[in-house]
Amino acid sequence: MEAGVQRRVIALLDEAGIQVGGSQPWDIQIHDPQFHARVLAEGSLGLGESYMDGWWDAPSLDAFLARLMQARLDARVHGSGEVWDALKARLINLQAGQRSFEVGKRHYDLGNDLYQAMLGQRLVYSCGYWAHADNLDQAQHDKLDLICRKLDLQPGMRVLDIGCGWGEALKFAAEKYAVSGVGVTISQEQAIYARQLCQGLPVDIRLQDYHQLDEPFDAILSVGMFEHVGVKNYRSYFEVARRCLRPEGHFLLHSIGSNLSRERTDAWIARYIFPNSMLPSAAQISTAMEGLFVLEDWHNFGTDYDLTLQAWRDNIEAAWDQLDARYDERFRRMWRFYLAGSMATFRIRQSQLWQLLLSPNGIPGGCRVPR
């Protein structure tokens, strides 16, 4: 029985060009023979947890995971828990009410020290724009400036940031474009940090669910937050943005996107990284905003996320020994698996990074959208 399970796993890996004990960067070194049965029984959850437990390694974790995904092995090996995850996602609105705060508590409140070590000069936890940049800090600066230019921000405008994170985008917009703003977040740690960061600027940071918003703004941005909204709430999300945006205003949505329409996320990601998260598809976004907005521009620079994640990995690997002991070896392996898996999805074009520019009634004469 055990020999048969082992042969099955080796055969699957061989389809992806991965050898057990091989010398290529993407080859796998298995340290615990229980690995084979665990992966076949538990799918992606078993793969990630067994890596956290030290049961296997690969010289280049991102290259290993990219080959697995490219061969679609993740779609062929399903764990028993995935059936329950799918049923739960279908029956329960996992992103509404108090559940909407769970990702804030479990991920974004992990510790500002962790994110300060990883994210660079600015605490911007989203894809940088590398068209003209050769380092992470410049890429994040260019991304924030690109957003402001796409929104055509002018002095005196009032701007809403839905999912404002640590406040970097509003700080940038207030300082460079002389606007005032409101930022909402579901993370207590982010709210505290953002208020300090934006002290002295005309910026109001609120610990608040976006559904509660009902006041006018000249422009709206939402960066790296839509991934937590959930398909059951896509329509209401756009309805909130529409009721808060003045008729002549612009709305920029910056989100990771999936090539396929799904109603749940990967089991390992849901358990350890982003609970109740979900990547939207183009079809889901288009359906949700129909009749509410005119689509002015849809910009895809998903391959830039691979570069961003590599820079984050380099930063955090250099900083582990200076960080708190609560980030123990199992946590570090979890974080490596998360970053490497994310790199892989963008590298093989399974995930995208989209910026949508929307207007309530269409911009008269159209617009030339900056790149």
Side-chain angles (χ1 to χ4, degrees):
M1 181 68 172
E2 291 182 6
V5 169
Q6 183 175 345
R7 284 196 297 271
R8 171 67 173 151
V9 171
I10 290 174
L12 286 168
L13 292 173
D14 187 62
E15 290 183 36
I18 297 168
Q19 291 187 353
V20 176
S23 59
Q24 297 297 325
W26 51 80
D27 287 335
I28 186 172
Q29 316 300 320
I30 297 174
H31 311 308
D32 193 311
Q34 299 177 86
F35 165 82
H36 308 93
R38 187 173 185 180
V39 168
L40 285 184
E42 300 175 9
S44 67
L45 183 60
L47 182 70
E49 287 185 338
S50 61
Y51 180 79
M52 292 165 61
D53 292 339
W55 287 16
W56 62 274
D57 282 291
S60 175
L61 187 56
D62 48 305
F64 167 80
L65 293 172
R67 284 183 168 254
L68 282 187
M69 295 176 193
Q70 194 85 61
R72 298 190 56 79
L73 298 188
D74 55 325
R76 293 167 55 189
V77 180
H78 299 285
S80 57
E82 293 184 43
V83 176
W84 166 241
D85 287 347
L87 182 62
K88 186 168 61 172
R90 184 172 294 275
L91 296 178
I92 302 171
N93 190 339
L94 297 171
Q95 297 82 16
Q98 288 303 308
R99 294 188 190 92
S100 67
F101 287 82
E102 186 175 356
V103 70
K105 295 174 183 176
R106 288 178 51 189
H107 188 81
Y108 296 106
D109 289 348
L110 276 172
N112 287 342
D113 57 341
L114 175 73
Y115 295 110
Q116 285 174 310
M118 184 174 79
L119 300 180
Q121 184 180 35
R122 291 183 174 86
L123 267 70
V124 179
Y125 198 13
S126 54
C127 181
Y129 188 53
W130 294 77
H132 312 290
D134 59 7
N135 64 80
L136 176 64
D137 292 334
Q138 187 64 48
Q140 295 294 13
H141 172 280
D142 291 354
K143 185 265 298 294
L144 295 176
D145 195 59
L146 180 69
I147 290 170
C148 293
R149 289 186 292 123
K150 285 183 177 182
L151 287 170
D152 193 24
L153 295 186
Q154 302 296 325
M157 281 186 170
R158 187 167 186 256
V159 178
L160 170 64
D161 186 349
I162 303 176
C164 65
W166 290 275
E168 295 282 3
L170 280 176
K171 179 178 185 288
F172 185 93
E175 290 179 340
K176 304 293 185 183
Y177 288 83
V179 302
S180 63
V182 171
V184 296
T185 176
I186 56 172
S187 165
Q188 184 172 335
E189 290 298 317
Q190 286 185 337
I192 292 170
Y193 184 96
R195 287 167 187 153
Q196 294 173 344
L197 183 75
C198 296
Q199 193 169 11
L201 295 170
V203 172
D204 178 19
I205 302 295
R206 305 173 185 172
L207 186 65
Q208 181 181 11
D209 188 297
Y210 70 91
H211 287 101
Q212 300 167 350
L213 291 164
D214 190 6
E215 53 195 280
F217 294 91
D218 300 299
I220 299 175
L221 60 128
S222 187
V223 181
M225 177 271 182
F226 195 67
E227 300 90 334
H228 305 304
V229 169
V231 68
K232 288 182 170 63
N233 306 297
Y234 289 163
R235 183 68 179 183
S236 63
Y237 171 91
F238 282 109
E239 288 172 344
V240 169
R242 181 64 184 85
R243 78 178 180 227
C244 290
L245 187 60
R246 297 185 191 277
E248 67 280 4
H250 299 170
F251 171 31
L252 186 136
L253 175 65
H254 173 118
S255 176
I256 298 172
S258 171
N259 296 336
L260 300 173
S261 296
R262 296 188 174 94
E263 295 187 353
R264 60 187 176 88
T265 193
D266 172 81
W268 185 87
I269 288 290
R271 178 170 295 187
Y272 290 99
I273 306 298
F274 295 116
N276 303 335
S277 64
M278 186 183 305
L279 298 186
S281 69
Q284 289 169 330
I285 291 175
S286 297
T287 299
M289 71 181 188
E290 186 172 336
L292 296 173
F293 288 101
V294 173
L295 175 61
E296 302 288 352
D297 186 63
W298 195 314
H299 184 187
N300 184 356
F301 52 97
T303 53
D304 284 16
Y305 225 141
D306 188 7
L307 297 172
T308 303
L309 286 154
Q310 289 179 50
W312 289 349
R313 177 185 60 188
D314 292 344
N315 285 346
I316 198 64
E317 289 296 339
W320 282 129
D321 291 343
Q322 285 74 52
L323 291 175
D324 192 274
R326 71 183 184 278
Y327 306 121
D328 59 14
E329 182 60 22
R330 194 167 193 269
F331 182 94
R332 296 181 190 188
R333 290 180 71 89
M334 176 191 77
W335 209 252
R336 289 179 186 126
F337 193 83
Y338 153 52
L339 294 178
S342 300
M343 289 176 215
T345 65
F346 289 103
R347 192 173 303 163
I348 70 168
R349 306 308 307 282
Q350 183 173 299
S351 295
Q352 314 302 327
L353 190 286
W354 295 324
Q355 280 191 356
L356 280 67
L357 184 64
L358 310 173
S359 66
N361 304 304
I363 298 171
C367 61
R368 301 289 182 186
V369 181
R371 291 288 190 267

